[in-house]
Amino acid sequence: MSSLDGPVQAPAPPPILNPAGGANQIRVRAYNERLVLSLVRLYGSLSKADIARRSGLSAQTVSVIMRELEKEGLLSRGEPVRGRVGQPSIPMLLNPDAVYSFGVKMGRRSADLVLMDFVGRIRMQLHRTYAYPLPGEILDFIIAGIGELECRLDDKQRSRVAGLGIAAPFELWNWADEVGAPEGAMEVWRGFDLQAEVAARVSHPVYLQNDATSACGAELVFGVGPSYPDFVYLFIGSFIGGGIVLNSAIFSGRTGTAGAIGPLPVRGKNGENRQLLDIASIFVLENMLREKGIDPQPLWYSANDWVDFGEPMETWIQDTAKALAQAIVAAASIIDFSAAVIDGGFPGWVRKRIVHATIQEAAKLDLQGVVMPEIIEGAVGAQARAIGGASLPIFARYLTDQNVLFKEIENAEGA
């Protein structure tokens, strides 16, 4: 599979120089290779017979493809499965060490850089906190961080890095007051092309996606996605964001902002109209702690190491749950989602409390005419945005779109 250079948004298909000739055959073979890899990723391990049945490809074609993918080191053999008539079945698995990818989560209070393997596991990571993000500081963190992590890799591992995916909030100059930035400090982001600036300084292809959309993508691929083909996703970071998954694919809408969630109007404590982000965001908890004379800095040191801040945290959780319940009911009244997935930049015990409280609050609302989705915890966790970013180069280069993948499965199994 060919390498890519420079900043890219999506992989370009190979040209069809002759519809009946070699270029078209190359394109079909590359697509079939991606399909096979995607099926193995989805199911964890599959035999050649399983892949042929699920993909609709001939057994001979699958055998040739899998032999080539094994030769390239992308697939590895599992233990033979015995007990059936004939030769034992040999499951094939993705080789975790076959491909690596860098992922960056740039938030309004902190940034993370991770190195992820082919099966979505974080191998190494770096973390930095700040009062508010500035381009120079972010660039320094990314460039120096990649250099530091690559120094820990051997030559073979470095050659297997597929690229860098950045998950970042769009329009960072908005809501500067909420994060306490000095007047005009965040205006520097207007017109600043983060993707191009990073691409000019690294040797890897660079991808850029909204941070909440990236988190939603990580949940779709590595979390609850295989079990829920349609879900609304809510990720609580400094500001709450989200995404929409329909037919096992992210739906971004006409302008790319579908499922932004944050601006959704909800009722506040006094019955006033508020935006969801003004209630169910971590910056709100930060301000509540300050008002109580409690240092909020531990919120940003490590998303997995929060302490229980007592009464202010419980108040924030209850307020957040009331707002989330309203948002989920509103979303369910438009689209018949099978699930509402809640995650965020905090430990699992905080997520569990928020989800439990949201289920209770949803039960108090008028649900006549609404088919409520199952309200569940996200499975990826606090690093969902970084993992989603790191997934971008891997999917662009090796895997198929989830929507295409599930259509292929449906067609093959319905044949």
Side-chain angles (χ1 to χ4, degrees):
M1 300 200 176
S2 61
S3 62
L4 303 171
D5 297 302
V8 286
Q9 291 287 357
I16 304 179
L17 301 177
N18 179 354
N24 193 45
Q25 294 172 3
I26 292 172
R27 183 174 182 176
V28 170
R29 185 172 70 246
Y31 175 83
N32 288 340
E33 287 177 350
R34 287 171 176 252
L35 178 59
V36 168
L37 288 172
S38 298
L39 283 167
V40 175
R41 186 210 60 74
L42 179 64
Y43 290 98
S45 66
L46 288 174
S47 67
K48 293 178 183 179
D50 289 332
I51 290 176
R53 184 177 71 255
R54 295 182 184 280
S55 67
L57 300 173
S58 70
Q60 181 180 4
T61 298
V62 170
S63 182
V64 170
I65 290 173
M66 295 188 76
R67 186 164 55 245
E68 184 63 27
L69 293 175
E70 186 179 6
K71 181 181 177 182
E72 292 180 26
L74 294 170
L75 292 179
S76 58
R77 296 179 178 231
E79 293 295 324
V81 178
R82 305 181 186 277
R84 298 179 181 177
V85 177
Q87 294 293 322
S89 174
I90 300 177
M92 303 297 288
L93 307 89
L94 293 182
N95 175 12
D97 297 314
V99 182
Y100 301 101
S101 179
F102 288 111
V104 171
K105 181 277 293 185
M106 189 188 78
R108 292 174 175 85
R109 291 295 195 212
S110 65
D112 292 282
L113 171 66
V114 304
L115 180 74
M116 189 180 80
D117 66 22
F118 202 26
V119 298
R121 290 198 297 255
I122 293 177
R123 295 295 188 90
M124 294 185 282
Q125 58 185 309
L126 299 172
H127 178 74
R128 175 175 292 183
T129 61
Y130 38 71
Y132 50 90
L134 292 174
E137 186 174 3
I138 295 299
L139 285 175
D140 289 344
F141 173 68
I142 294 174
I143 307 309
I146 288 176
E148 179 180 338
L149 296 186
E150 286 191 326
C151 283
R152 305 180 196 175
L153 303 176
D154 58 34
D155 291 342
K156 186 175 183 180
Q157 290 172 320
R158 281 194 290 270
S159 70
R160 291 177 171 177
V161 174
L164 164 67
I166 302 173
F170 291 168
E171 298 186 358
L172 272 164
W173 52 89
N174 289 328
W175 303 294
D177 290 343
E178 285 82 350
V179 296
E183 184 177 356
M186 300 289 282
E187 288 296 314
V188 68
W189 284 105
R190 287 187 188 271
F192 185 85
D193 191 334
L194 179 62
Q195 182 182 8
E197 293 292 338
V198 173
R201 293 166 170 82
V202 301
S203 59
H204 305 295
V206 179
Y207 301 76
L208 177 68
Q209 190 175 68
N210 176 263
D211 59 337
T213 304
S214 296
C216 185
E219 193 66 49
L220 171 63
V221 175
F222 300 112
V224 305
S227 300
Y228 297 92
D230 307 291
F231 62 87
V232 57
Y233 179 79
L234 305 101
F235 190 92
I236 304 171
S238 297
F239 294 86
I240 190 171
I244 291 174
V245 169
L246 298 176
N247 298 321
S248 298
I250 292 177
F251 177 75
S252 56
R254 178 176 56 85
T255 63
T257 58
I261 298 296
L264 196 69
V266 295
R267 291 191 308 276
K269 286 183 176 181
N270 301 317
E272 76 283 12
N273 287 331
R274 304 280 299 280
Q275 287 194 332
L276 180 63
L277 65 87
D278 289 327
I279 299 174
S281 296
I282 295 177
F283 90 88
V284 178
L285 173 59
E286 180 183 28
N287 291 338
M288 292 171 70
L289 293 176
R290 282 204 179 96
E291 290 173 1
K292 296 289 185 178
I294 301 172
D295 181 9
Q297 285 301 310
L299 294 175
W300 314 113
Y301 290 150
S302 172
N304 290 317
D305 295 325
W306 280 22
V307 298
D308 191 334
F309 289 99
E311 185 273 329
M313 173 173 281
E314 181 59 26
T315 299
W316 176 74
I317 288 175
Q318 293 303 320
D319 291 348
T320 293
K322 288 183 176 68
L324 290 179
Q326 295 176 59
I328 291 168
V329 171
S333 69
I334 303 297
I335 297 177
D336 186 18
F337 292 108
S338 56
V341 183
I342 299 173
D343 211 336
F346 36 59
W349 60 267
V350 175
R351 179 180 62 224
K352 186 176 295 293
R353 285 170 61 178
I354 291 174
V355 170
H356 178 70
T358 302
I359 292 171
Q360 291 183 317
E361 290 298 330
K364 300 175 184 177
L365 299 175
D366 183 357
L367 302 179
Q368 185 174 357
V370 179
V371 179
M372 279 295 288
E374 185 179 356
I375 300 174
I376 61 174
E377 296 182 50
V380 179
Q383 290 287 16
R385 291 166 292 182
I387 291 172
S391 301
L392 298 175
I394 290 178
F395 265 77
R397 188 166 167 182
Y398 294 102
L399 303 172
T400 63
D401 176 81
Q402 290 289 99
N403 195 29
V404 173
L405 174 61
F406 280 95
K407 284 182 179 179
E408 291 283 354
I409 294 171
E410 290 172 0
N411 292 338
E413 294 183 344

